[in-house]
Amino acid sequence: MAATSAPGTPAWLGAWNDRTALSLLLEHGPLGRVRIAELGEMSKPTASLVVTRLEKAGLIRVDGEATGGQGRPSVTYAARADRVLGVAIDIDAKRMRACLVDALRTDHEIVEIALPAHASERNAVAEVRAAIEAACAPSGADPASVRIVCLGVQGYLDTLDDDHLFTETLPGWPRIGVRKLIEDELGLAVQIDNDVNLAAIAERAFGAAASASNFALLWLGNGLGAALDLNGAIHRGSFGGAGEIGFLPAPQALTGVDGRPVSDLQDVMGGKALVRLAREHGMRGRTLPDILDALATSPARTAILDELAYRVAFGVIPLLAVVDPELVVLGGPTCRAGGDELAELVSKKIRGSSRWSPAVAASTVTGNPILAGARELLVTEVRNELLESVARITA
């Protein structure tokens, strides 16, 4: 907290108590004055003064009444989560998915926005503005209350090189300085992160990796990527490109049965590769979603997953050799379609072809993992912003 008075003075103690009470309301939900005093280890008169200040500043509101025990029901108070908001955005070449984020972790509706097909029609600032307005609309929130956005992109942002954006899925967006451009034009803070990194944050928060000391997340869909969580922190690398394993050269042993040459792991495990693999096994379908929909009931499912597991093991082993994680989580549309069956096959392939033997599990995050991870980041940010506003209260 940015202190406006010396520690130990009445003004400083008042600001400390204000922040403590607001933190308790964010953590526990609605509370009465007596309970705030108990949890905050302050006297009841002090708690009453704190509540009065916070309510006058518009940071809390009357929520209802708490019953129980003798005497009159006591009034309960709740934090005003609408004062500071964030927006989580998952964006690719064709569409954006966005949702509002507040300090109380309210479950806000996810909205989807189609994007123009041609680069000449794309505009980074306009698209982020549209995502903010669309995310606010279902709840009637004021877009002006949005202070920060987090964008999950298929690529990465090199913050040491003038915010150099490395991605193939945002045509028309500037490659240099895009974060500052959006911040300056919209007057808010912007975080841009790799989509798989955000999915790993969700996996750590409430997925298959919740109890792991460290883990690697392998993401398979149209694209291919990995994220590394080392002791609870995402390892992004010196320039932001950690986990871009799709560019790793592929062993020639992984050439498809049609003899098609492969140059990197993207050619081996990406969306086009799986479509070719499925068609080699007699499945019909031109796109990855077509194949994944049909895979559940296809007679070729076991054979396809066995070959895919062989390829995935090749992609995972370099990660094991470098960071030796205790757990490998398989995520993304392709791995979700393979589920526990694919995870078990990958585990067997790794054990049979290398000296490593990590646990391998399918992702258990439901919904959109990228938005879920961005939401986890933003909850912390909007809470901090809300708590910082306590320092600006005047008695």
Side-chain angles (χ1 to χ4, degrees):
M1 181 175 66
T4 57
S5 57
T9 64
W12 183 87
L13 290 172
W16 177 269
N17 287 330
D18 291 345
R19 185 183 178 100
T20 297
L22 185 56
S23 297
L24 290 171
L25 292 172
L26 291 173
E27 180 180 357
H28 296 281
L31 298 170
R33 299 186 186 211
V34 173
R35 189 59 177 151
I36 290 173
E38 293 173 349
L39 293 174
E41 298 181 345
M42 61 184 79
S43 68
K44 292 179 182 178
T46 296
S48 293
L49 290 173
V50 167
V51 167
T52 299
R53 282 197 299 267
L54 292 176
E55 187 176 15
K56 183 179 179 181
L59 295 174
I60 67 174
R61 60 176 175 78
V62 173
D63 179 72
E65 293 184 343
T67 58
Q70 298 179 348
R72 295 180 300 174
S74 62
V75 175
T76 59
Y77 298 87
R80 284 276 306 277
D82 59 329
R83 292 290 298 271
V84 179
L85 300 170
V87 170
I89 303 171
D90 170 22
I91 184 169
D92 57 34
K94 296 182 179 180
R95 61 186 60 84
M96 291 187 296
R97 293 148 291 268
C99 68
L100 198 64
V101 179
D102 63 41
L104 295 177
R105 297 180 180 275
T106 306
D107 188 14
H108 290 284
E109 179 180 340
I110 295 175
V111 297
E112 186 167 312
I113 305 169
L115 295 171
H118 301 289
S120 61
E121 301 176 83
R122 300 291 298 272
N123 182 289
V125 173
E127 288 168 17
V128 173
R129 180 186 289 115
I132 292 172
E133 293 174 350
C136 289
S139 63
D142 183 2
S145 297
V146 175
R147 307 286 180 81
I148 183 170
V149 298
C150 180
L151 290 90
V153 302
Q154 295 177 13
Y156 64 95
L157 188 74
D158 183 353
T159 57
L160 297 182
D161 184 17
D162 294 326
D163 279 351
H164 195 156
L165 181 63
F166 291 88
T167 180
E168 298 177 355
T169 59
L170 295 176
W173 280 45
R175 289 297 180 258
I176 300 293
V178 63
R179 181 170 60 88
K180 187 175 187 303
L181 171 67
I182 298 171
E183 288 183 336
D184 291 346
E185 291 292 324
L186 299 183
L188 43 73
V190 175
Q191 294 184 6
I192 299 177
D193 205 345
N194 174 262
D195 54 355
V196 185
N197 285 342
L198 294 176
I201 290 172
E203 209 68 55
R204 160 69 70 187
F206 40 77
S211 61
S213 61
N214 52 75
F215 72 96
L217 170 65
L218 181 72
W219 182 277
L220 293 184
N222 282 317
L224 164 67
L228 301 172
D229 178 301
L230 305 180
N231 300 316
I234 297 296
H235 177 70
R236 293 178 172 83
S238 298
F239 308 103
E244 294 290 338
I245 65 171
F247 299 114
L248 286 175
Q252 290 304 307
L254 295 181
T255 300
V257 296
D258 61 358
R260 183 188 299 267
V262 295
S263 60
D264 53 35
L265 290 185
Q266 177 69 33
D267 292 337
V268 172
M269 290 183 281
K272 292 180 180 179
L274 184 61
V275 170
R276 291 197 300 269
L277 175 62
R279 292 176 70 85
E280 289 167 5
H281 284 82
M283 289 185 64
R284 295 182 178 181
R286 300 181 60 184
T287 68
L288 181 63
D290 292 339
I291 294 299
L292 296 182
D293 286 344
L295 188 62
T297 57
S298 172
R301 175 182 172 87
T302 299
I304 291 172
L305 291 184
D306 189 70
E307 171 63 22
L308 179 60
Y310 171 67
R311 301 182 183 194
V312 169
F314 268 99
V316 169
I317 288 173
L319 299 177
L320 304 181
V322 175
V323 296
D324 193 23
E326 70 175 75
L327 171 68
V328 174
V329 179
L330 304 181
T334 299
C335 294
R336 186 162 55 244
D340 293 336
E341 182 180 355
L342 177 61
E344 183 176 354
L345 288 169
V346 169
S347 178
K348 290 179 179 179
K349 301 293 184 184
I350 292 173
R351 293 170 186 267
S353 60
S354 77
R355 60 173 294 174
W356 290 276
S357 56
V360 180
S363 169
T364 58
V365 176
T366 59
N368 185 313
I370 300 165
L371 286 181
R375 180 173 175 261
E376 282 300 301
L377 285 181
L378 289 177
V379 165
T380 299
E381 295 293 334
V382 296
R383 282 190 174 186
N384 288 339
E385 177 79 13
L386 194 60
L387 291 171
E388 286 297 324
S389 66
V390 170
R392 297 187 287 271
I393 295 177
T394 57

